[in-house]
Amino acid sequence: MRVAMLTGGGDCPGLNAVMRAVVRKGERTYGDELVGFLDGWKGVIDGTIRPLDVEAMRGTLPRGGTVLGSSRTNPFKIDGGVDACKESLDRLGVDALVAIGGEDTLGVAAKLHELGVRVVGVPKTIDNDLSGTDLTFGFDTAVQIAVDAIDRLHTTAESHHRVMVVEVMGRHAGHIAAWAGIAGGATMTLIPEEPFDIDEVCEALRRRHAKGNYASIVVVSEGATPTEGSMTLQTGEVDAFGHVRLGGIGARLAEEVEARTGFETRQTVLGHVQRGGTPTAFDRVLATRFGVAAIDAVHDDAFGQMVALQGGDIVRVPLSVAVGTLKTVDPSIYEVAKVFFAG
Ligand code: F6P
């Protein structure tokens, strides 16, 4: 079989590990020829591919990013984009496609499958907001990076008796913030799922600092929002999937906290640092399991399915389920974080 892969959307530690596993099992067990489309769906539209064999993937297990490149191209938003995709797949003799991506990339895969494209999905996003899977690879790495940063911020915050606002990624769901907040011992964690009241945030910080020589760490998800009318926010550009480019809540929050409480406050935006560099051991294992399962799914004709982690097992779920609704933070996790708020 000629099997093609693509990586779409924001890059994520573990992408190469998935492809390495697809290639290894595809080539050695099934005798497949593996190729990769460059830069996500853009490569499918343009018909730009490169061969991916075991030799090409050597040494890539610990390497962040993606050897194929990525983009946020949406063929359904480009005139003739869908036809161009189908034409490329036919012309290049691609028998099956493995699409590795988040809600946008897999949303395109789901629609193309309805149009007859033989595609299997692999769930990727540091945001961990895809339904149908307990975890996406890349999330564990992003949380670890955020926790390492928070650990460092604690000591400088304590030295200066400051409030440190740490902005982490997560535009619609606060998984990174919730986990990093718990693991990093945050004073408060603000997530998109629960709009925050700036008065309450400041009051909690005042109570905490009144107890003595205190410092505080406030972890805020980039998509967190204040309750209506309580604080103004900036808005950003919109991408091909209609997402606003976020960033800025950390700065606004730090400004507001300092103005309202008088506590010296600084902000740190972790940004794309959370997506870069080597995957954790957990993500390498998860990505490898997903890759092996994806090529097995191809050979089982399980098209229109996404491989997923459920209760420790690798299973298959329809792509439509994975992209149907966003997986938000389980309230019970946020309740755990709250136990430690401003204590
Ligand atoms: O891939 C998900 C994500 O990292 C989000 O957490 C973040 O909002 C977005 O991508 C940033 O996108 P870009 O890399 O296009 O700035």
Side-chain angles (χ1 to χ4, degrees):
M1 254 191 185
R2 191 170 216 219
V3 182
M5 290 179 277
L6 68 86
T7 54
D11 70 340
C12 180
L15 283 165
N16 292 322
V18 173
M19 293 189 278
R20 170 180 170 272
V22 170
V23 168
R24 178 64 72 107
K25 187 150 191 197
E27 200 176 296
R28 298 283 163 89
T29 305
Y30 295 113
D32 292 333
E33 183 200 351
L34 283 305
V35 294
F37 282 107
L38 305 185
D39 300 332
W41 292 112
K42 180 177 185 305
V44 188
I45 292 173
D46 297 344
T48 44
I49 56 167
R50 60 164 278 196
L52 284 182
D53 58 13
V54 168
E55 286 313 313
M57 294 312 295
R58 269 199 210 289
T60 59
L61 174 63
R63 216 177 131 74
T66 159
V67 296
L68 288 181
S70 190
S71 73
R72 294 193 185 277
T73 305
N74 181 352
F76 287 89
K77 285 284 159 68
I78 293 173
D79 262 356
V82 174
D83 289 340
C85 285
K86 292 175 81 177
E87 193 274 323
S88 289
L89 293 168
D90 284 348
R91 182 170 46 82
L92 296 166
V94 172
D95 300 304
L97 186 60
V98 175
I100 311 165
E103 51 159 336
D104 298 332
T105 305
L106 298 185
V108 170
K111 288 199 223 163
L112 286 177
H113 174 253
E114 282 169 20
L115 300 174
V117 173
R118 291 155 53 94
V119 56
V120 164
V122 177
K124 163 247 64 159
T125 166
I126 64 161
D127 291 355
N128 194 34
D129 57 3
L130 266 173
S131 289
T133 185
D134 295 346
L135 290 171
T136 50
F137 69 87
F139 172 64
D140 185 66
T141 306
V143 170
Q144 190 58 55
I145 292 169
V147 172
D148 289 344
I150 293 168
D151 285 350
R152 289 174 188 279
L153 289 170
H154 269 293
T155 61
T156 171
E158 285 155 14
S159 305
H160 293 268
H161 320 297
R162 283 175 174 158
V163 177
M164 292 289 191
V165 174
V166 191
E167 182 184 307
V168 298
M169 279 188 169
R171 54 182 157 203
H172 306 300
H175 298 281
I176 297 177
W179 284 57
I182 293 171
T187 308
M188 293 204 100
T189 302
L190 309 176
I191 60 174
E193 289 84 344
E194 276 199 31
F196 62 88
D197 182 328
I198 186 69
D199 288 329
E200 282 173 18
V201 171
C202 291
E203 192 40 45
L205 292 172
R206 270 189 220 104
R207 271 201 314 273
R208 174 179 162 87
H209 286 236
K211 290 182 193 155
N213 232 356
Y214 272 86
S216 291
I217 304 278
V218 179
V219 175
V220 59
S221 210
E222 61 179 342
T225 51
T227 47
E228 184 121 17
S230 59
M231 215 178 102
T232 54
L233 286 183
Q234 296 161 344
T235 52
E237 292 168 42
V238 173
D239 69 16
F241 288 92
H243 300 302
V244 174
R245 185 166 303 147
L246 296 172
I249 182 69
R252 277 294 294 120
L253 193 61
E255 215 172 69
E256 206 70 26
V257 165
E258 186 165 288
R260 288 174 184 240
T261 63
F263 302 140
E264 203 180 0
T265 306
R266 295 284 189 272
Q267 60 121 0
T268 301
V269 180
L270 294 183
H272 294 81
V273 169
Q274 295 157 98
R275 288 216 317 240
T278 190
T280 57
F282 180 88
D283 276 336
R284 294 182 201 188
V285 173
L286 183 60
T288 301
R289 292 177 77 195
F290 279 163
V292 166
I295 193 69
D296 287 341
V298 163
H299 285 273
D300 286 346
D301 280 346
F303 298 113
Q305 303 279 308
M306 177 186 86
V307 297
L309 180 75
Q310 286 184 4
D313 295 326
I314 302 292
V315 299
R316 295 171 189 164
V317 297
L319 278 168
S320 52
V321 167
V323 300
T325 48
L326 205 73
K327 184 181 73 193
T328 50
V329 172
D330 185 329
S332 69
I333 295 277
Y334 198 47
E335 286 307 314
V336 171
K338 281 184 182 169
V339 171
F340 299 90
F341 279 10

